[in-house]
Amino acid sequence: MSESRNPQALLASTLNKVPFIMQILAGLIIGVIIGAIYPNDHTVLPTMGSLFVKALKSVAPILVFVLVAAAIARHEKGTQSNMRPIVVVYFISMVLASTLALSMSYIFPSTFSELASAADDLSPPQGIAEVLTNFVNQAIDNPVTALMNGNYIAILFWAIALGLMFRTAHDNTKKVLEDLTQSVAGVVRIIIRFAPLGVMGLVYSSVTQEGGFANLLNYVHVLLVLIGSMLLIGFVLNAGIVYYMTRENPYPLIFTCVARSGVTAFFTRSSAANLPVNLALCEKLNLPRETYTISIPLGATINMSGAAVTIVIMTMAAVHTLGIEVDFFSALLMSISAVLCACGASGVAGGSLMLIPLACSIFGIGNDVAMQIVGIGFIIGVLQDSTETALNSFTDVLFTAAVCKRAQRLQKKAEQKAAAQ
């Protein structure tokens, strides 16, 4: 009786009865409404959004580190982790995505009548060799520095190395590592509960920022091609991959991943910030812990279908603008390069744009022109980068779940065959 009279308990009970995705949707709608009515509030609501993203980014590095280390430490020989098929699916999906983007750029060619001014302080990589060199340099970074700066390549490297060493440790030591993992995961769950308020603040900032969506009108065509390609990948191409692997209707799983992962990734615009959300979703889907604790952080680093689409279409827009004749094999080389470069795209907003000059160099396009294309990318990034991040992020969970379902289906089939014999 006393609990029912407690306002805090009553509020918590009421919120728990409302589906979490509906709470996020309510925050989204309220953010748009407040932005339309009070566009000059630049304190409370924007701060809520930035604090939510900052909290996710702060906890994500330590969460990934302890999860990966603990998963490898407790892994026993003979235990199926499904990592090889997941990595294969990641790369197959990116190759297909870049191929689809190349086709879309030929079917709906985009050109820029005006090029945005270039940013002089940007320093894109000058070749694939430089991308690979940067990758290795990041991998051997100081682990403490990597945790402080959110260098996930180094975090994965050190987590895997220490996890392998912990496999020979005493069981009590492994238990401490597991307890640390549970404690950090608990902190993450608390942060995620504030997602409706965070999304409300992020939406408000998007609606009321200088220029708002008006800046997008000058580049509607290329924006529609980009978003259309990503939607085709998310709901058609990926659906085909999932169906092939699971032999089930893929859309219930796709809609679940979009609702619980894609929505938050759309507004945070950061695969790194969405890592805790994806890990929580995998837990809710009852996926094997030894699989998703590795595949999700790895996916946030190398599974970049949306980035591949952006690199291909923006580069081909530059090609069409300059009237360059491109043969099939050159375009194919650029698409393959886009896949490789996408794996090195940063896990922060706009990371894929910095690799456009690398793809442009394949066609002999100068760095000055390429950087102006990057400038246009930042203008349309209000929607392009948000959609790209949503696609990249929810696909990590989607393919992890699909591979796990496939493993279960094959195991069940093998058991039935053994029983019949």
Side-chain angles (χ1 to χ4, degrees):
M1 191 70 171
S2 59
E3 182 179 341
S4 62
R5 294 178 181 176
N6 187 333
Q8 296 176 344
L10 182 61
L11 178 61
S13 176
T14 303
L15 287 176
N16 289 332
K17 293 178 181 178
V18 179
F20 190 59
I21 184 58
M22 295 304 296
Q23 296 180 32
I24 293 179
L25 181 60
L28 189 156
I29 295 173
I30 294 172
V32 171
I33 294 174
I34 296 178
I37 298 175
Y38 300 106
N40 297 322
D41 178 13
H42 300 297
T43 54
V44 179
L45 287 179
T47 300
M48 289 168 53
S50 62
L51 285 177
F52 176 66
V53 174
K54 187 175 182 179
L56 286 174
K57 287 185 175 180
S58 297
V59 74
I62 185 65
L63 175 66
V64 169
F65 183 82
V66 297
L67 278 177
V68 174
I72 294 176
R74 65 170 175 267
H75 179 76
E76 298 178 0
K77 291 184 177 180
T79 303
Q80 188 177 15
S81 65
N82 299 313
M83 282 309 303
R84 182 178 298 175
I86 289 176
V87 172
V88 170
V89 172
Y90 281 167
F91 277 97
I92 289 176
S93 67
M94 285 195 293
V95 171
L96 293 176
S98 61
T99 303
L100 185 145
L102 183 61
S103 301
M104 292 288 285
S105 68
Y106 277 111
I107 297 172
F108 306 103
S110 300
T111 57
F112 302 123
S113 58
E114 297 180 3
L115 294 178
S117 58
D120 297 332
D121 57 340
L122 298 177
S123 54
Q126 298 300 312
I128 294 178
E130 184 175 340
V131 173
L132 296 176
T133 301
N134 291 339
F135 184 90
V136 174
N137 286 333
Q138 289 182 57
I140 59 175
D141 193 11
N142 183 291
V144 177
T145 304
L147 287 170
M148 292 175 60
N149 297 332
N151 178 1
Y152 286 93
I153 296 175
I155 290 171
L156 283 172
F157 174 81
W158 284 105
I160 292 171
L162 290 176
L164 291 172
M165 296 300 101
F166 271 122
R167 292 178 68 173
T168 60
H170 194 276
D171 289 341
N172 290 337
T173 304
K174 295 180 181 179
K175 180 61 178 175
V176 171
L177 188 61
E178 182 64 25
D179 290 341
L180 178 61
T181 301
Q182 295 296 334
S183 299
V184 177
V187 174
V188 171
R189 283 192 288 270
I190 293 174
I191 295 173
I192 292 177
R193 287 300 303 167
F194 289 92
L197 295 176
V199 167
M200 182 171 65
L202 291 169
V203 172
Y204 177 88
S205 297
S206 297
V207 171
T208 60
Q209 68 178 348
E210 184 178 355
F213 294 104
N215 288 333
L216 304 179
L217 295 177
N218 294 329
Y219 308 104
V220 168
H221 186 274
V222 69
L223 185 61
L224 289 177
V225 175
L226 283 164
I227 295 179
S229 299
M230 293 179 196
L231 290 176
L232 284 174
I233 292 167
F235 293 99
V236 178
L237 190 149
N238 285 351
I241 294 175
V242 173
Y243 175 77
Y244 175 79
M245 299 181 67
T246 64
R247 298 296 194 271
E248 298 177 358
N249 180 4
Y251 288 103
L253 178 60
I254 289 176
F255 291 144
T256 298
C257 293
V258 171
R260 295 184 175 273
S261 172
V263 171
T264 54
F266 183 90
F267 291 107
T268 61
R269 297 174 64 186
S270 170
S271 297
N274 212 48
L275 272 170
V277 177
N278 281 353
L279 292 167
L281 175 56
C282 288
E283 183 178 3
K284 187 174 183 64
L285 292 174
N286 295 318
L287 302 182
R289 189 179 179 87
E290 61 271 12
T291 298
Y292 74 77
T293 51
I294 300 176
S295 69
I296 297 302
L298 183 64
T301 303
I302 69 171
N303 183 31
M304 297 287 177
S305 295
V309 169
T310 298
I311 295 169
V312 170
I313 290 180
M314 294 296 284
T315 300
M316 291 305 296
V319 168
H320 294 313
T321 300
L322 299 175
I324 300 174
E325 294 293 332
V326 177
D327 61 85
F328 174 79
F329 291 104
S330 296
L332 182 62
L333 174 62
M334 189 270 293
S335 297
I336 296 174
S337 300
V339 171
L340 297 175
C341 295
C343 297
S346 174
V348 299
S352 61
L353 297 176
M354 296 306 300
L355 294 167
I356 290 175
L358 191 152
C360 285
S361 65
I362 295 175
F363 301 125
I365 299 175
N367 206 46
D368 53 344
V369 175
M371 290 313 302
Q372 293 182 65
I373 301 297
V374 173
I376 293 174
F378 279 110
I379 292 175
I380 65 175
V382 176
L383 291 179
Q384 169 271 323
D385 191 54
S386 297
T387 307
E388 174 189 315
T389 306
L391 174 63
N392 291 339
S393 193
F394 90 77
T395 302
D396 296 343
V397 181
L398 179 67
F399 288 153
T400 298
V403 169
C404 291
K405 285 178 174 289
R406 176 179 179 273
Q408 293 173 0
R409 178 174 62 84
L410 293 178
Q411 183 179 2
K412 185 177 180 180
K413 187 177 180 179
E415 291 175 353
Q416 291 175 347
K417 184 177 180 181
Q421 293 177 349

